Amino acid sequence: MKSQKASTLQQRLKWFHEARFGLFIHWGVHAVMGRGEWAMFFDRIPAREYAKLADRFRPKRFDADAWAQLALDAGMKYMVLTTRHHDGFCLFDSKVSDFTSVKTAAGRDFVAEYVQACRKAGLKVGLYYSLMDWRFPGYFNYKSNPASAAALRQQCHDQVRELLTNYGKIDVLWYDGLWLNHEAGPDETWAKFWKSKELNAMAKRLQPDILINNRAGIPADFGTCEGHVSAAEPGQAWEACMTMSSGWGQIKHDVNFKTTVQLLQHLVAAAAGEGNFLLNVGPGADGTIRNAETSRLREMGRWLKVNGEAIYGSQRFSGIPAEFGYLWTRKGKDCYLHIFHWPGKEMVIPLVKSKVVSATVLATGQRAKVRRECNGRTVLYGLPETPPDKYITTIRIRFAGEPEAVKVTDPAAWLTGEAAGPAR
Ligand code: GLC
């Protein structure tokens, strides 16, 4: 019985492990102000005043197919959209709230359009949902106003039910906003408040194949880290989410965009730890995604077209440790060296015990020559002086048999060239 359950989870996670790269989209009525998705709280805008923003939220140029096409161009395999963020504004038709894009000026169910576009494009569909909603006084005064806090929880359960009932198959449920009154606290306390066990049980009843993140305070299908890429324990599915600039929701005069190479290095780091990279964009109030974002995504897609075999479905490779400036991924028999700092005509990999059969630069198809030196140094040579790929050069390395590192018994032996046995 136990193993049956485990294999089911593995089956459900199969596409997620293969995917490696997804598009996170933070969008909502906050885009009208263009100061990020926390502006309501940061500026202490009264709920009634904030609600008026919805009169100005008419995204004339919203085109879910264009978003999906962009994700495809970037080489992404799934998307996650904020269906409702902490400000409470729903991008979907909710029976339990009037603060929705359907009942206000926009008059559209953006979640419906988004889900349809994802499916048409062959992308997996993720829905972000913030448990908490600032418009409820009970969110802040949960001890002194338990009735409002209970109403907030009820809204959450009702809306998760709506999202997982009304839009066909949903692949990812991405919770956020677990805490109350922005208080840090043990996750279990908040999970108890939200009745997270019941919530997830309902989600699984409605969508048996869905993957749920762990942000409802209880262990779930995959873990998340935010703003950095840190691998989970082997065997645990995980995803790192990150902004492309300063904010999640659009900050209109943002000047802090990460470079394409930084973004690609994060993607490679996720793949090297067998995790996914969920990269965020913040569309404007008109529904379009800025050039600064689209151009980076398209560049990443171009890199993946050439180097994707080393990323999609990647496994960890710890047979030979990575020293500074490069990372390993693996796929079956092939190991991939992702070089962040191109060394010039020769690349040294120290402490390698196994023989290299071939080393191929993915960007050009060039075969590097290989020689062995003391200290298990495997030297790839005959390479060009300048990096063959302007972002990250990836070399596919095939070893004879299972790759192994030199076992270091004397940590000083390399000083005399004897780390891998007597120097020649
Ligand atoms: C944080 C922020 C939230 C954002 C989320 C993305 O929880 O509060 O605004 O949506 O990170 O992971």
Side-chain angles (χ1 to χ4, degrees), residues 209-289:
D209 292 331
I210 203 162
L211 298 177
I212 305 180
N213 78 356
N214 62 356
R215 289 200 183 183
I218 51 174
D221 300 319
F222 66 96
T224 61
C225 51
E226 185 174 313
H228 57 97
V229 179
S230 309
E233 291 297 310
Q236 248 218 280
W238 64 279
E239 175 196 66
C241 59
M242 199 179 280
T243 57
M244 197 184 279
S245 51
S246 312
W248 297 94
Q250 185 168 109
I251 293 178
K252 59 185 167 191
H253 300 300
D254 206 335
V255 289
N256 274 326
F257 285 89
K258 297 178 182 76
T259 63
T260 304
V261 72
Q262 285 173 318
L263 296 170
L264 283 170
Q265 288 182 0
H266 288 308
L267 171 63
V268 167
E274 241 170 47
N276 288 357
F277 186 47
L278 184 67
L279 178 57
N280 183 73
V281 295
D286 67 351
T288 62
I289 299 176

Side-chain angles (χ1 to χ4, degrees), residues 24 26 37-38 85-86 128 174 176 179 215 226 241 248:
F24 207 178
H26 272 66
E37 78 287 358
W38 273 71
H85 209 271
H86 309 336
Y128 165 110
W174 214 103
D176 189 29
W179 59 87
R215 289 200 183 183
E226 185 174 313
C241 59
W248 297 94

Side-chain angles (χ1 to χ4, degrees), residues 400-413:
E402 184 60 26
E404 267 182 83
V406 163
K407 276 197 188 58
V408 176
T409 45
D410 173 359

Side-chain angles (χ1 to χ4, degrees), residues 88-350:
F89 185 73
C90 301
L91 294 175
F92 60 99
D93 195 12
S94 177
K95 298 271 175 293
V96 298
S97 169
D98 290 333
F99 196 37
T100 78
S101 61
V102 179
K103 296 178 187 167
T104 54
R108 280 164 82 174
D109 185 328
F110 294 110
V111 170
E113 294 182 47
Y114 157 82
V115 171
Q116 214 178 17
C118 288
R119 288 223 195 83
K120 213 159 76 186
L123 293 159
K124 297 286 182 189
V125 186
L127 304 182
Y128 165 110
Y129 181 80
S130 162
L131 302 162
M132 58 95 146
D133 179 337
W134 289 314
R135 299 170 311 142
F136 288 73
Y139 165 74
F140 297 96
N141 299 327
Y142 62 95
K143 286 188 187 131
S144 60
N145 193 347
S148 169
L152 167 61
R153 176 175 56 225
Q154 189 58 47
Q155 172 185 271
C156 162
H157 283 242
D158 290 343
Q159 291 188 333
V160 168
R161 177 180 291 112
E162 290 175 335
L163 286 168
L164 301 186
T165 306
N166 300 338
Y167 299 94
K169 188 165 187 292
I170 302 301
D171 301 293
V172 175
L173 176 58
W174 214 103
Y175 296 122
D176 189 29
L178 169 67
W179 59 87
L180 290 172
N181 192 30
H182 305 159
E183 286 168 21
D187 282 2
E188 304 82 69
T189 312
W190 304 137
K192 227 162 143 190
F193 169 79
W194 292 107
K195 302 194 170 159
S196 299
K197 261 197 196 143
E198 286 93 318
L199 193 60
N200 282 1
M202 173 181 72
K204 297 252 149 131
R205 251 193 333 271
L206 295 169
Q207 299 275 345
D209 292 331
I210 203 162
L211 298 177
I212 305 180
N213 78 356
N214 62 356
R215 289 200 183 183
I218 51 174
D221 300 319
F222 66 96
T224 61
C225 51
E226 185 174 313
H228 57 97
V229 179
S230 309
E233 291 297 310
Q236 248 218 280
W238 64 279
E239 175 196 66
C241 59
M242 199 179 280
T243 57
M244 197 184 279
S245 51
S246 312
W248 297 94
Q250 185 168 109
I251 293 178
K252 59 185 167 191
H253 300 300
D254 206 335
V255 289
N256 274 326
F257 285 89
K258 297 178 182 76
T259 63
T260 304
V261 72
Q262 285 173 318
L263 296 170
L264 283 170
Q265 288 182 0
H266 288 308
L267 171 63
V268 167
E274 241 170 47
N276 288 357
F277 186 47
L278 184 67
L279 178 57
N280 183 73
V281 295
D286 67 351
T288 62
I289 299 176
R290 290 180 278 197
N291 280 342
E293 292 165 328
T294 57
S295 60
R296 282 166 174 78
L297 290 175
R298 293 204 172 99
E299 283 289 284
M300 293 179 84
R302 277 192 275 278
W303 185 86
L304 275 164
K305 267 216 153 64
V306 177
N307 300 288
E309 64 169 84
I311 301 295
Y312 302 118
S314 65
Q315 301 155 299
R316 295 175 199 238
F317 176 57
S318 50
I320 296 163
E323 300 294 344
F324 181 65
Y326 57 92
L327 286 176
W328 288 104
T329 58
R330 179 175 189 172
K331 255 201 37 218
K333 278 171 70 177
D334 291 321
C335 299
Y336 295 91
L337 201 56
H338 301 273
I339 305 167
F340 294 176
H341 309 147
W342 185 250
K345 288 180 184 146
E346 296 194 352
M347 165 89 200
V348 178
I349 320 166

